[in-house]
PDB file of all heavy atoms in Angstrom:
ATOM      1  N   VAL B  81      38.706 -27.384 -88.128  1.00 97.00           N
ATOM      2  CA  VAL B  81      38.936 -26.389 -87.049  1.00 97.00           C
ATOM      3  C   VAL B  81      38.823 -27.142 -85.752  1.00 97.00           C
ATOM      4  O   VAL B  81      37.809 -27.792 -85.450  1.00 97.00           O
ATOM      5  CB  VAL B  81      37.896 -25.259 -87.107  1.00 97.00           C
ATOM      6  CG1 VAL B  81      38.207 -24.227 -85.996  1.00 97.00           C
ATOM      7  CG2 VAL B  81      37.910 -24.593 -88.470  1.00 97.00           C
ATOM      8  N   LEU B  82      39.895 -27.130 -84.974  1.00 97.00           N
ATOM      9  CA  LEU B  82      39.994 -27.971 -83.777  1.00 97.00           C
ATOM     10  C   LEU B  82      39.778 -27.173 -82.494  1.00 97.00           C
ATOM     11  O   LEU B  82      40.306 -26.083 -82.339  1.00 97.00           O
ATOM     12  CB  LEU B  82      41.373 -28.644 -83.748  1.00 97.00           C
ATOM     13  CG  LEU B  82      41.640 -29.599 -82.610  1.00 97.00           C
ATOM     14  CD1 LEU B  82      40.819 -30.884 -82.728  1.00 97.00           C
ATOM     15  CD2 LEU B  82      43.122 -29.970 -82.564  1.00 97.00           C
ATOM     16  N   LYS B  83      39.011 -27.785 -81.602  1.00 96.00           N
ATOM     17  CA  LYS B  83      38.865 -27.240 -80.252  1.00 96.00           C
ATOM     18  C   LYS B  83      39.198 -28.364 -79.284  1.00 96.00           C
ATOM     19  O   LYS B  83      38.834 -29.527 -79.510  1.00 96.00           O
ATOM     20  CB  LYS B  83      37.415 -26.791 -80.038  1.00 96.00           C
ATOM     21  CG  LYS B  83      37.046 -26.416 -78.613  1.00 96.00           C
ATOM     22  CD  LYS B  83      35.543 -26.008 -78.543  1.00 96.00           C
ATOM     23  CE  LYS B  83      35.016 -26.067 -77.111  1.00 96.00           C
ATOM     24  NZ  LYS B  83      35.250 -24.837 -76.347  1.00 96.00           N
ATOM     25  N   VAL B  84      39.965 -28.040 -78.249  1.00 96.00           N
ATOM     26  CA  VAL B  84      40.324 -29.033 -77.258  1.00 96.00           C
ATOM     27  C   VAL B  84      39.913 -28.557 -75.896  1.00 96.00           C
ATOM     28  O   VAL B  84      40.241 -27.423 -75.510  1.00 96.00           O
ATOM     29  CB  VAL B  84      41.831 -29.339 -77.276  1.00 96.00           C
ATOM     30  CG1 VAL B  84      42.132 -30.508 -76.320  1.00 96.00           C
ATOM     31  CG2 VAL B  84      42.336 -29.677 -78.652  1.00 96.00           C
ATOM     32  N   ILE B  85      39.176 -29.382 -75.150  1.00 95.00           N
ATOM     33  CA  ILE B  85      38.794 -28.973 -73.805  1.00 95.00           C
ATOM     34  C   ILE B  85      39.214 -30.034 -72.802  1.00 95.00           C
ATOM     35  O   ILE B  85      39.247 -31.221 -73.082  1.00 95.00           O
ATOM     36  CB  ILE B  85      37.259 -28.730 -73.672  1.00 95.00           C
ATOM     37  CG1 ILE B  85      36.430 -29.863 -74.241  1.00 95.00           C
ATOM     38  CG2 ILE B  85      36.884 -27.391 -74.349  1.00 95.00           C
ATOM     39  CD1 ILE B  85      34.952 -29.725 -74.044  1.00 95.00           C
ATOM     40  N   ASP B  86      39.490 -29.562 -71.617  1.00 93.00           N
ATOM     41  CA  ASP B  86      39.873 -30.406 -70.498  1.00 93.00           C
ATOM     42  C   ASP B  86      38.984 -30.019 -69.345  1.00 93.00           C
ATOM     43  O   ASP B  86      39.071 -28.876 -68.852  1.00 93.00           O
ATOM     44  CB  ASP B  86      41.376 -30.116 -70.193  1.00 93.00           C
ATOM     45  CG  ASP B  86      41.845 -30.814 -68.919  1.00 93.00           C
ATOM     46  OD1 ASP B  86      41.055 -31.577 -68.343  1.00 93.00           O
ATOM     47  OD2 ASP B  86      42.990 -30.534 -68.518  1.00 93.00           O
ATOM     48  N   GLN B  87      38.112 -30.913 -68.898  1.00 91.00           N
ATOM     49  CA  GLN B  87      37.122 -30.609 -67.869  1.00 91.00           C
ATOM     50  C   GLN B  87      36.309 -29.351 -68.255  1.00 91.00           C
ATOM     51  O   GLN B  87      35.992 -28.535 -67.414  1.00 91.00           O
ATOM     52  CB  GLN B  87      37.792 -30.331 -66.514  1.00 91.00           C
ATOM     53  CG  GLN B  87      38.720 -31.403 -66.067  1.00 91.00           C
ATOM     54  CD  GLN B  87      37.985 -32.631 -65.463  1.00 91.00           C
ATOM     55  OE1 GLN B  87      36.764 -32.694 -65.485  1.00 91.00           O
ATOM     56  NE2 GLN B  87      38.728 -33.582 -64.981  1.00 91.00           N
ATOM     57  N   GLY B  88      36.012 -29.216 -69.526  1.00 91.00           N
ATOM     58  CA  GLY B  88      35.213 -28.102 -69.976  1.00 91.00           C
ATOM     59  C   GLY B  88      36.026 -26.845 -70.317  1.00 91.00           C
ATOM     60  O   GLY B  88      35.521 -25.965 -70.978  1.00 91.00           O
ATOM     61  N   ALA B  89      37.263 -26.789 -69.832  1.00 93.00           N
ATOM     62  CA  ALA B  89      38.041 -25.543 -70.001  1.00 93.00           C
ATOM     63  C   ALA B  89      38.994 -25.627 -71.215  1.00 93.00           C
ATOM     64  O   ALA B  89      39.522 -26.711 -71.493  1.00 93.00           O
ATOM     65  CB  ALA B  89      38.827 -25.238 -68.758  1.00 93.00           C
ATOM     66  N   ASP B  90      39.142 -24.513 -71.918  1.00 93.00           N
ATOM     67  CA  ASP B  90      40.033 -24.489 -73.059  1.00 93.00           C
ATOM     68  C   ASP B  90      41.467 -24.113 -72.653  1.00 93.00           C
ATOM     69  O   ASP B  90      42.369 -24.209 -73.483  1.00 93.00           O
ATOM     70  CB  ASP B  90      39.560 -23.412 -74.060  1.00 93.00           C
ATOM     71  CG  ASP B  90      38.253 -23.787 -74.730  1.00 93.00           C
ATOM     72  OD1 ASP B  90      38.306 -24.611 -75.645  1.00 93.00           O
ATOM     73  OD2 ASP B  90      37.188 -23.326 -74.254  1.00 93.00           O
ATOM     74  N   ASP B  91      41.641 -23.701 -71.409  1.00 92.00           N
ATOM     75  CA  ASP B  91      42.934 -23.127 -71.060  1.00 92.00           C
ATOM     76  C   ASP B  91      43.659 -23.859 -69.961  1.00 92.00           C
ATOM     77  O   ASP B  91      44.485 -23.331 -69.244  1.00 92.00           O
ATOM     78  CB  ASP B  91      42.711 -21.634 -70.623  1.00 92.00           C
ATOM     79  CG  ASP B  91      41.636 -21.548 -69.528  1.00 92.00           C
ATOM     80  OD1 ASP B  91      41.136 -22.630 -69.120  1.00 92.00           O
ATOM     81  OD2 ASP B  91      41.292 -20.443 -69.131  1.00 92.00           O
ATOM     82  N   THR B  92      43.350 -25.165 -69.786  1.00 91.00           N
ATOM     83  CA  THR B  92      44.100 -25.931 -68.814  1.00 91.00           C
ATOM     84  C   THR B  92      45.154 -26.784 -69.506  1.00 91.00           C
ATOM     85  O   THR B  92      45.121 -26.943 -70.741  1.00 91.00           O
ATOM     86  CB  THR B  92      43.143 -26.830 -67.991  1.00 91.00           C
ATOM     87  OG1 THR B  92      42.278 -27.494 -68.895  1.00 91.00           O
ATOM     88  CG2 THR B  92      42.324 -26.019 -67.018  1.00 91.00           C
ATOM     89  N   THR B  93      46.075 -27.307 -68.738  1.00 91.00           N
ATOM     90  CA  THR B  93      47.305 -27.941 -69.276  1.00 91.00           C
ATOM     91  C   THR B  93      47.045 -28.914 -70.419  1.00 91.00           C
ATOM     92  O   THR B  93      47.611 -28.776 -71.487  1.00 91.00           O
ATOM     93  CB  THR B  93      48.027 -28.708 -68.169  1.00 91.00           C
ATOM     94  OG1 THR B  93      47.970 -27.927 -67.000  1.00 91.00           O
ATOM     95  CG2 THR B  93      49.435 -29.035 -68.538  1.00 91.00           C
ATOM     96  N   ASN B  94      46.172 -29.888 -70.148  1.00 92.00           N
ATOM     97  CA  ASN B  94      45.933 -30.927 -71.132  1.00 92.00           C
ATOM     98  C   ASN B  94      45.394 -30.363 -72.419  1.00 92.00           C
ATOM     99  O   ASN B  94      45.852 -30.684 -73.503  1.00 92.00           O
ATOM    100  CB  ASN B  94      44.950 -31.957 -70.542  1.00 92.00           C
ATOM    101  CG  ASN B  94      44.941 -33.280 -71.231  1.00 92.00           C
ATOM    102  OD1 ASN B  94      43.942 -33.925 -71.313  1.00 92.00           O
ATOM    103  ND2 ASN B  94      46.095 -33.698 -71.772  1.00 92.00           N
ATOM    104  N   ALA B  95      44.459 -29.420 -72.294  1.00 94.00           N
ATOM    105  CA  ALA B  95      43.877 -28.796 -73.516  1.00 94.00           C
ATOM    106  C   ALA B  95      44.900 -27.994 -74.258  1.00 94.00           C
ATOM    107  O   ALA B  95      45.029 -28.107 -75.499  1.00 94.00           O
ATOM    108  CB  ALA B  95      42.685 -27.949 -73.098  1.00 94.00           C
ATOM    109  N   VAL B  96      45.658 -27.189 -73.553  1.00 95.00           N
ATOM    110  CA  VAL B  96      46.652 -26.331 -74.222  1.00 95.00           C
ATOM    111  C   VAL B  96      47.710 -27.163 -74.927  1.00 95.00           C
ATOM    112  O   VAL B  96      48.051 -26.913 -76.077  1.00 95.00           O
ATOM    113  CB  VAL B  96      47.331 -25.395 -73.165  1.00 95.00           C
ATOM    114  CG1 VAL B  96      48.517 -24.679 -73.789  1.00 95.00           C
ATOM    115  CG2 VAL B  96      46.297 -24.398 -72.650  1.00 95.00           C
ATOM    116  N   SER B  97      48.190 -28.228 -74.258  1.00 94.00           N
ATOM    117  CA  SER B  97      49.296 -28.985 -74.865  1.00 94.00           C
ATOM    118  C   SER B  97      48.818 -29.762 -76.085  1.00 94.00           C
ATOM    119  O   SER B  97      49.500 -29.862 -77.100  1.00 94.00           O
ATOM    120  CB  SER B  97      49.936 -29.868 -73.832  1.00 94.00           C
ATOM    121  OG  SER B  97      49.000 -30.795 -73.308  1.00 94.00           O
ATOM    122  N   ILE B  98      47.583 -30.344 -76.022  1.00 95.00           N
ATOM    123  CA  ILE B  98      47.091 -31.089 -77.175  1.00 95.00           C
ATOM    124  C   ILE B  98      46.800 -30.138 -78.345  1.00 95.00           C
ATOM    125  O   ILE B  98      47.098 -30.453 -79.490  1.00 95.00           O
ATOM    126  CB  ILE B  98      45.881 -31.951 -76.799  1.00 95.00           C
ATOM    127  CG1 ILE B  98      46.306 -33.068 -75.854  1.00 95.00           C
ATOM    128  CG2 ILE B  98      45.209 -32.529 -78.046  1.00 95.00           C
ATOM    129  CD1 ILE B  98      45.157 -33.876 -75.296  1.00 95.00           C
ATOM    130  N   ARG B  99      46.268 -28.986 -78.025  1.00 95.00           N
ATOM    131  CA  ARG B  99      45.980 -28.009 -79.093  1.00 95.00           C
ATOM    132  C   ARG B  99      47.301 -27.581 -79.755  1.00 95.00           C
ATOM    133  O   ARG B  99      47.400 -27.545 -80.965  1.00 95.00           O
ATOM    134  CB  ARG B  99      45.275 -26.779 -78.504  1.00 95.00           C
ATOM    135  CG  ARG B  99      44.661 -25.853 -79.528  1.00 95.00           C
ATOM    136  CD  ARG B  99      43.589 -24.974 -78.937  1.00 95.00           C
ATOM    137  NE  ARG B  99      44.083 -24.269 -77.759  1.00 95.00           N
ATOM    138  CZ  ARG B  99      43.458 -24.183 -76.638  1.00 95.00           C
ATOM    139  NH1 ARG B  99      42.257 -24.734 -76.505  1.00 95.00           N
ATOM    140  NH2 ARG B  99      43.979 -23.559 -75.589  1.00 95.00           N
ATOM    141  N   ALA B 100      48.330 -27.320 -78.930  1.00 95.00           N
ATOM    142  CA  ALA B 100      49.627 -26.880 -79.474  1.00 95.00           C
ATOM    143  C   ALA B 100      50.229 -28.027 -80.300  1.00 95.00           C
ATOM    144  O   ALA B 100      50.844 -27.782 -81.350  1.00 95.00           O
ATOM    145  CB  ALA B 100      50.566 -26.527 -78.315  1.00 95.00           C
ATOM    146  N   PHE B 101      50.034 -29.263 -79.861  1.00 94.00           N
ATOM    147  CA  PHE B 101      50.532 -30.428 -80.568  1.00 94.00           C
ATOM    148  C   PHE B 101      49.985 -30.477 -81.996  1.00 94.00           C
ATOM    149  O   PHE B 101      50.734 -30.579 -82.978  1.00 94.00           O
ATOM    150  CB  PHE B 101      50.145 -31.694 -79.815  1.00 94.00           C
ATOM    151  CG  PHE B 101      50.489 -32.971 -80.480  1.00 94.00           C
ATOM    152  CD1 PHE B 101      51.807 -33.431 -80.501  1.00 94.00           C
ATOM    153  CD2 PHE B 101      49.511 -33.766 -81.094  1.00 94.00           C
ATOM    154  CE1 PHE B 101      52.142 -34.660 -81.113  1.00 94.00           C
ATOM    155  CE2 PHE B 101      49.815 -34.944 -81.715  1.00 94.00           C
ATOM    156  CZ  PHE B 101      51.129 -35.391 -81.726  1.00 94.00           C
ATOM    157  N   PHE B 102      48.666 -30.299 -82.123  1.00 95.00           N
ATOM    158  CA  PHE B 102      48.104 -30.378 -83.459  1.00 95.00           C
ATOM    159  C   PHE B 102      48.367 -29.137 -84.306  1.00 95.00           C
ATOM    160  O   PHE B 102      48.473 -29.232 -85.518  1.00 95.00           O
ATOM    161  CB  PHE B 102      46.564 -30.633 -83.393  1.00 95.00           C
ATOM    162  CG  PHE B 102      46.292 -32.078 -83.117  1.00 95.00           C
ATOM    163  CD1 PHE B 102      45.691 -32.508 -81.958  1.00 95.00           C
ATOM    164  CD2 PHE B 102      46.649 -33.073 -84.066  1.00 95.00           C
ATOM    165  CE1 PHE B 102      45.469 -33.849 -81.712  1.00 95.00           C
ATOM    166  CE2 PHE B 102      46.400 -34.412 -83.853  1.00 95.00           C
ATOM    167  CZ  PHE B 102      45.803 -34.802 -82.665  1.00 95.00           C
ATOM    168  N   GLN B 103      48.571 -28.013 -83.666  1.00 94.00           N
ATOM    169  CA  GLN B 103      48.993 -26.847 -84.413  1.00 94.00           C
ATOM    170  C   GLN B 103      50.361 -27.116 -85.031  1.00 94.00           C
ATOM    171  O   GLN B 103      50.627 -26.770 -86.171  1.00 94.00           O
ATOM    172  CB  GLN B 103      49.090 -25.615 -83.504  1.00 94.00           C
ATOM    173  CG  GLN B 103      47.769 -24.922 -83.314  1.00 94.00           C
ATOM    174  CD  GLN B 103      47.886 -23.700 -82.400  1.00 94.00           C
ATOM    175  OE1 GLN B 103      48.274 -23.863 -81.237  1.00 94.00           O
ATOM    176  NE2 GLN B 103      47.610 -22.558 -82.912  1.00 94.00           N
TER     177      GLN B 103
END
Side-chain angles (χ1 to χ4, degrees):
Chain B
V81 182
L82 181 69
K83 170 181 161 85
V84 185
I85 50 175
D86 171 7
Q87 307 281 5
D90 291 280
D91 52 2
T92 47
T93 318
N94 198 212
V96 169
S97 61
I98 291 173
R99 194 160 51 227
F101 174 77
F102 281 114
Q103 276 180 298

